[in-house]
Structures are given as structure tokens and as C-alpha cells.
């Protein structure tokens, strides 16, 4: 990547070997979180209030002919990003402001948006075209308007800076939402499902992490329910509670109730418009020892190999004394991943997350930035 600075803008020139993501962040030497949630180095460091010449991307395309970059992760205060997208369709944007902002993005041609408010307040008029909206952080720091001819997108709330999302009380903008996802810490203070009962328009719920009072879901007219990384399913209503249920997923959930769910979905009426699946049942011990590793979404065989390699690398790094030892250990881990079949873009990001975690095992020998440089040098996926 090359950059050219003028007095009022930064123009970017990127090579065809760059990924589908573009990450811009202020602050030298920092890491950034891209749309997938994976930790990665920024492609460009910018000042918080620096104006970006977004039009440099107007004619850029992927090999398949779609607009490039497909995903943009930007940390700063340049809201002209949304003005630019009035003329240029973009799949996904992650936006983290560096101050309180009010943004009219109603005419932006954008499919998915992730907002990371940090400690700042955001008021936004949502794009008419928006289909997915995520808030990673305190949802009480954001507020939304919807254009008269627009509609609410699918919403997703992720845990706040404390790692806990305990309820959706006090969020009036959720009143009209029909599809809502909740991501909470996997182990720790659970999300209170009773707080969902004020959202009478909900018909599809996606729950991730620690949950409490699952019995309250019986009072909602659900046609879709998704459960992921839920270590305690006690109180979950019988699936027959929802006569309109046509979509149900239980994935990486505790095995005792999970086995009952697996039998229950076989009794549900099957059709072209329905989907029911229960997979990756886990023991209580798995949630305590394994859930923090980034390989849970991989195929079972690859997950076991990657987890074993990670634990072996972590054990060596705890007693390593030189940077050379650290690099060799990271290299051995990455070479193991190189040998796995079917590593896609999301798994590449997961492997990068694992390398960054390994760097934290012995931070006196390497920084996450150094470890990720080694990762990029060694990986062939």
C-alpha cells in the first residue's frame, strides 16, 4: 500500500494482493478490529480528523467484478465516508468515531454497518438500504432515526467494554425491531431474557453467550431462534411453544439439553422454507477450558488440531527466554495451520487472532504486531 498526503486529504493506492478488507485507524502501532471481529494491523494510520479521499476507490474492483474494498473498517471522524457511499455501493462498514458525532447516512448505499461507540455518543439517520446493523459497545450511547421510506434492519448488540450485556432495558430504538441478536460473555454475568419482553415486534432472536430466564422467550411470537455458545440451556421452552417456528439453530451449546433439542427438531415439520439444526454439543468443561480459543467455528478435525497446536505453543512460550524461541514457536504453530485443509478467509482471521493471543503469553519477548508480522511471513493460506 502507498499513501499520498495533501493538506486536506489522504489518497490511498493499494495493490491487487490486498485482501477484501481495508482497515484505517488513528494512532501509530495499534491494532484494529475488522468487520469479522478479528484482530489485525491497520492498512493505514490516519489522524482522527483527517479527511480521506474516498473516491480513490471508485474504479477499484475485486477479481469477481464487485466493488473493492468490500469491507471498510474506519476509526476517525470523517463522516464523508457515508456521503461517498451515496454514489458507491459498499457491503460492510465498521465505524468507530473518535468523538461525539451526528450523521445523516440515509442516502448511503450500504448493506451492513457495525458501530463501535467506545465512550462517544452517536446519533445517526440510518441508510435506507441497510439490512444489518451491529453495535459493539454500550448500546445506550447510540440513537437512531429511520428515513420515512426506510425500515429497521436486522439488529445485533455485542457485549460492552466490560464484556457484559445484561439487558436491553432503556433502548427505545429497539421497539420496532423484528430481528435481534445478542452477544454476551460466554462465562460470567448472563443476559436477562426477560428484558426482551418489552419488544413485542420481535419474531427472530439470535442469542450468543451466557443467558438467564430463557423461559421468558415463550411469551414472544418467534418464527426464528438461534442459540450459540450457550453453556446453560435450563428453562428453554419446548420448541412446540412456537407454532410458527421455521428456523432454529443450536450450535456449540451444552450437551445435556442439546441432546433433547436434537431429538425435538426431528419431530418438527420439514419444508423448503424451514431449517432446524443442532450441532457441536459441548460439555461444561469445554466451556471452561476451550471456548476462549478462536477455533470453535472450524470443522471438528481442524479445530482439534489447531487447539492442540495452540496449547503446545502456549506451554513453550511460558518458559521461552529469547525472541528467537518465540518466533520459532509462532512459526511451528502457523506451519501446523498451513497443513490444514479448507482454510477460508474467516479461518485466516481466526488464526491471526490466535497468534495475537499467543503474543500475550510472554509479552516480554514479542508484541502482537511482531507476532502478526511473523504470521504473515509464514502462512500460505
Amino acid at each position: 500500500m502507498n499513501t499520498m498526503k495533501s493538506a486536506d486529504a489522504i489518497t490511498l493506492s493499494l495493490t491487487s494482493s490486498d485482501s477484501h478488507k481495508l482497515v484505517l485507524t488513528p494512532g501509530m502501532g495499534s491494532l484494529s478490529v475488522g468487520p469479522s471481529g478479528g484482530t489485525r494491523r491497520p492498512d493505514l494510520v490516519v489522524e482522527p480528523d483527517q479527511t480521506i479521499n474516498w473516491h480513490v476507490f471508485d474504479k477499484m474492483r475485486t477479481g469477481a467484478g464487485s466493488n473493492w474494498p468490500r469491507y471498510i473498517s474506519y476509526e476517525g471522524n470523517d463522516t464523508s465516508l457515508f456521503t461517498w457511499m451515496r454514489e458507491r455501493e459498499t457491503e460492510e462498514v465498521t465505524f468507530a468515531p473518535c468523538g461525539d458525532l451526528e450523521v445523516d447516512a440515509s442516502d448511503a448505499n450500504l448493506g451492513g454497518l457495525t458501530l463501535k461507540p467506545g465512550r462517544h455518543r452517536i446519533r445517526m439517520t440510518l441508510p435506507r438500504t441497510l439490512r444489518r446493523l451491529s453495535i459493539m459497545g454500550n448500546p445506550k450511547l447510540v440513537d437512531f432515526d429511520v428515513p420515512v421510506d426506510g425500515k429497521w434492519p436486522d439488529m445485533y448488540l455485542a457485549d460492552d467494554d466490560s464484556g457484559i450485556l445484561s439487558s436491553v432495558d432503556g433502548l427505545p430504538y429497539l421497539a420496532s425491531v423484528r430481528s435481534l441478536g445478542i452477544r454476551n460473555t460466554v462465562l460470567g454475568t448472563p443476559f436477562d431474557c426477560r428484558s426482551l419482553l418489552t419488544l413485542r415486534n420481535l419474531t427472530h432472536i439470535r442469542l450468543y453467550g451466557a443467558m438467564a430466564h430463557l423461559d421468558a422467550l415463550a411469551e414472544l411470537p418467534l418464527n426464528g431462534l438461534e442459540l450459540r455458545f450457550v453453556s446453560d440451556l435450563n428453562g428453554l421452552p419446548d420448541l412446540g411453544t412456537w407454532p410458527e417456528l421455521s428456523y432454529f439453530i443450536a450450535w456449540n451449546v451444552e450437551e445435556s439439553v442439546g441432546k433433547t433439542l436434537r431429538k425435538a427438531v426431528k419431530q418438527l415439520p420439514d419444508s423448503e422454507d424451514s431449517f432446524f439444526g443442532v450441532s457441536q454439543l459441548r460439555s461444561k468443561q469445554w466451556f471452561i477450558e476451550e471456548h476462549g480459543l478462536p477455533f470453535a467455528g472450524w470443522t471438528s478435525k481442524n479445530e482439534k488440531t489447531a487447539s492442540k497446536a495452540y496449547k503446545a505453543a502456549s506451554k513453550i512460550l511460558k518458559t521461552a527466554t529469547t525472541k528467537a524461541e518465540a518466533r520459532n514457536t509462532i512459526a511451528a504453530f502457523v506451519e501446523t495451520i498451513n497443513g490444514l485443509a479448507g482454510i477460508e478467509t474467516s479461518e485466516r482471521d481466526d488464526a491471526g487472532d490466535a497468534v495475537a493471543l499467543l503474543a500475550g503469553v510472554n509479552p516480554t519477548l514479542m508484541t502482537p504486531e511482531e507476532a502478526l508480522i511473523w504470521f504473515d511471513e509464514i502462512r500460505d493460506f
Side-chain angles (χ1 to χ4, degrees):
M1 171 182 293
N2 298 312
T3 63
M4 296 180 291
K5 282 193 178 184
S6 65
D8 60 356
I10 289 183
T11 299
L12 303 94
S13 174
L14 298 101
T15 67
S16 59
S17 62
D18 288 294
S19 73
H20 291 320
K21 298 178 185 177
L22 172 69
V23 179
L24 297 88
T25 184
M28 294 300 293
S30 61
L31 293 173
S32 181
V33 178
S36 71
T39 301
R40 59 167 291 179
R41 299 185 303 283
D43 297 301
L44 181 68
V45 177
V46 296
E47 294 299 324
D49 294 310
Q50 180 72 54
T51 301
I52 310 296
N53 180 11
W54 299 102
H55 288 284
V56 74
F57 301 112
D58 286 351
K59 296 182 179 180
M60 293 187 181
R61 299 290 184 270
T62 66
S66 58
N67 289 337
W68 188 98
R70 294 170 56 194
Y71 315 121
I72 297 173
S73 181
Y74 170 64
E75 184 177 352
N77 297 324
D78 181 19
T79 58
S80 70
L81 168 64
F82 298 98
T83 304
W84 168 61
M85 285 187 292
R86 294 174 182 173
E87 306 169 12
R88 195 267 197 186
E89 182 179 2
T90 303
E91 288 185 42
E92 299 280 345
V93 165
T94 295
F95 178 52
C98 296
D100 296 353
L101 289 177
E102 186 168 341
V103 186
D104 182 356
S106 55
D107 294 328
N109 198 348
L110 177 61
L113 174 64
T114 297
L115 294 175
K116 301 173 64 180
R119 294 187 296 271
H120 308 296
R121 293 192 173 275
I122 307 171
R123 184 174 185 88
M124 176 178 285
T125 303
L126 294 174
R128 292 178 177 85
T129 61
L130 198 67
R131 299 184 297 277
R132 301 170 300 279
L133 173 62
S134 300
I135 302 171
M136 296 180 65
N138 186 350
K140 293 184 178 180
L141 291 176
V142 298
D143 200 5
F144 303 105
D145 293 316
V146 177
V148 174
D149 55 347
K151 62 181 181 179
W152 279 100
D154 289 351
M155 288 281 296
Y156 186 80
L157 306 182
D159 46 16
D160 62 17
D161 293 338
S162 67
I164 297 170
L165 183 64
S166 58
S167 80
V168 293
D169 292 335
L171 302 175
Y173 55 81
L174 294 180
S176 299
V177 171
R178 299 179 63 83
S179 178
L180 178 65
I182 300 294
R183 182 186 179 108
N184 191 29
T185 179
V186 174
L187 297 175
T189 302
F191 174 83
D192 188 346
C193 292
R194 293 175 299 184
S195 67
L196 297 170
L197 297 183
T198 60
L199 311 180
R200 305 310 301 184
N201 288 299
L202 279 183
T203 59
H204 194 125
I205 299 175
R206 305 178 302 281
L207 302 177
Y208 180 113
M211 297 291 145
H213 305 291
L214 286 166
D215 57 300
L217 300 181
E219 299 183 38
L220 294 171
L222 298 184
N223 58 38
L225 176 60
E226 302 176 39
L227 305 167
R228 293 179 174 86
F229 290 93
V230 183
S231 61
D232 186 352
L233 290 171
N234 286 328
L236 182 70
D238 184 275
L239 298 185
T241 302
W242 304 288
E244 301 299 320
L245 191 71
S246 60
Y247 193 90
F248 176 76
I249 287 179
W251 183 71
N252 279 299
V253 298
E254 60 100 351
E255 60 186 0
S256 58
V257 177
K259 291 177 181 178
T260 301
L261 290 173
R262 183 172 281 170
K263 294 178 182 178
V265 297
K266 294 180 180 179
Q267 307 303 317
L268 295 175
D270 191 19
S271 72
E272 293 183 357
D273 299 323
S274 64
F275 179 84
F276 309 107
V278 179
S279 59
Q280 300 285 63
L281 302 185
R282 305 294 190 179
S283 66
K284 292 285 187 180
Q285 198 64 23
W286 184 91
F287 283 99
I288 296 172
E289 297 180 353
E290 305 282 349
H291 84 275
L293 300 184
F295 313 117
W298 296 22
T299 63
S300 180
K301 181 179 179 180
N302 282 359
E303 180 206 3
K304 290 178 180 177
T305 301
S307 295
K308 182 178 179 180
Y310 178 92
K311 292 177 181 178
S314 178
K315 184 177 181 179
I316 294 171
L317 287 171
K318 287 178 181 178
T319 58
T321 58
T322 68
K323 186 179 290 289
E325 287 180 273
R327 190 187 189 286
N328 289 339
T329 303
I330 295 295
F333 170 74
V334 179
E335 289 291 2
T336 299
I337 307 301
N338 281 341
L340 299 178
I343 299 298
E344 304 289 345
T345 299
S346 59
E347 281 87 2
R348 181 187 66 203
D349 291 341
D350 294 337
D353 289 348
V355 167
L357 288 171
L358 286 172
V361 173
N362 197 334
T364 61
L365 299 182
M366 59 185 153
T367 64
E369 291 85 353
E370 287 176 311
L372 286 169
I373 289 173
W374 302 337
F375 171 67
D376 286 335
E377 290 174 348
I378 299 164
R379 67 181 175 89
D380 60 13
F381 49 88

